[in-house]
Amino acid sequence: MKISGVACDSRKVQPGSLFVCITGYETDGHKYAKSAVQNGAVAVVAEHSLPTVGVPCIVVDNTRKAMSQIAAAFYEYPFKKFKLIGITGTNGKTTTTYLIKAILEHLGKKVGLIGTNQNMIGDLVIPTSRTTPDSLELMELFNNIAENGADYVVMEVSSHALALDRVTACRFDVGAFTNITQDHLDFHKTMEEYLKAKSILFDISNRGVINIDDSSSGYLLDNAKCDDVITYGIKNDCLLKASNISLEQSGIEFDLSYGGVRERVRLGIPGEFTVYNAMTAVGCCLACGFELKDITEGLRGAGGVKGRIEVVDTPGTDYTVIIDYAHTPDGLLNVINAIRGFAKGRIVTVFGCGGDRDSSKRPIMGKIAGELSDFCVVTSDNPRTEDPEKIIQQVVEGVKQTDCEYEVITNRFSAIEYALDHAQKNDIILLAGKGHETYQVLGHDTICFDEREIVQKLLGIFDDRVDF
């Protein structure tokens, strides 16, 4: 029997396809096996027998894991045609992948990128809806990247992807860990399970790169199955160490030491967390066999990343607007602390928390924002199907534990408008949570919501192409 395609959505089945039944959180793919056969599926993979489908049924213990292996085989293991680098961790994944891409391109390599902001094949940008695609999409993307002649692919590897076997069939040349803080407990339930999911990357990587300053590094080092590990940090003993750190509004400078060699690094992205992101990137490139001197030369030319401590162009104002994706307690703490290092006036933080996600972090983020900001505007993020007022109430519980003045404005557009209208000279207005996103999810609807355009529209420097 010849298989001409693989699908896990019966609506995407073409004649000659193999249909894989996936048990999801909203529906069960086994229910759609007959529909898949009607659409042309010639065989079915399932977790229990389906005697009435009328085509061969292969029964496996875990169809998610099987689909990953099937997809890899169908596309002839495309990840073997380039060097694959995977980054996992709560914060820093996106920035780190872009830094690695910049370094490798400086070294003359063609690089593919897969992540939260976008997927890239050469210079071609492909929008993405989630950090790590499912295994079928991923192998097809790998195949396209390989056909475009990539030497390296660097990708974000989410805890969901690891736990749900989206990358089970992959073999990473290098796997890296940035940090772990509270996030996604709606899915993983406990921090222990969250960390366990992250650790899977080091079961399927040849070499590891681990932040030794993170409290979870001991667990990862003890359980890593990769051949060897490059540790990095600022505070603890490690192989790749940063020292003599200078934090400025325009960026950072620091010394990097590895194997008896020391190089001075300058990077135009502020904040101590940028030092860690840079070290993750350097560690990955060292693990690929490049020299520290060549790597740091490439790092110096790296730019910022959309939605990560991004300064919005606001000509004619005497204050600054910064957009950042910070949507976790640690992410919010890091970005406000980074801004505090160069702020000359107040820090006004406009933020909310996403709906249908871990609710326990909401008061924690409220308290962090209140403790570190001079004024807070609590608003909606992506409320999804939750009541935005309820989400805000949980955030405000944390803000109230501080002395910070705050305003509650549920409509995010109005919240941004309020912050701009009340801005004072030298203020820094931080729009936290959306980052690179150009939309907002309200109920089951997705609306256009690009905060860069909104700010410029409110300041009268936007051409009204989009209504908000």
Side-chain angles (χ1 to χ4, degrees), residues 235 247-249 252 270-274 309 322 324 326 329-343 347 349 368-369 371-373 428 430:
K235 303 168 187 174
L247 304 175
E248 304 168 3
Q249 178 175 350
I252 56 171
E272 185 181 67
F273 60 90
T274 300
I309 206 160
I322 290 177
D324 194 88
D330 191 60
L332 192 61
L333 182 147
N334 284 338
V335 71
I336 301 178
N337 274 337
I339 293 171
R340 181 61 67 191
F342 57 77
I347 297 177
T349 302
I368 288 170
E371 288 176 340
L372 300 179
S373 307
I428 294 180
L430 170 64

Side-chain angles (χ1 to χ4, degrees), residues 91 273 307-309 323-336 349-353 361 365 381 412 430-436:
N91 299 306
F273 60 90
R308 270 63 177 180
I309 206 160
I323 291 175
D324 194 88
Y325 189 48
H327 61 287
T328 65
D330 191 60
L332 192 61
L333 182 147
N334 284 338
V335 71
I336 301 178
T349 302
V350 181
F351 77 110
C353 288
K361 69 181 182 182
M365 290 180 64
D381 190 290
R412 194 172 178 97
L430 170 64
L431 308 181
K434 301 295 295 172
H436 61 280

Side-chain angles (χ1 to χ4, degrees), residues 370-371 399-405:
E371 288 176 340
V399 181
K400 285 182 176 178
Q401 296 176 42
T402 74
D403 295 326
C404 186
E405 295 184 35

Side-chain angles (χ1 to χ4, degrees), residues 114-117 119 127-135 137 158 166:
I114 300 173
T116 304
N117 278 17
N119 299 329
T128 182
S129 60
R130 52 186 165 186
T131 301
T132 311
D134 70 36
S135 55
E137 295 172 315
S158 68
R166 293 179 193 162

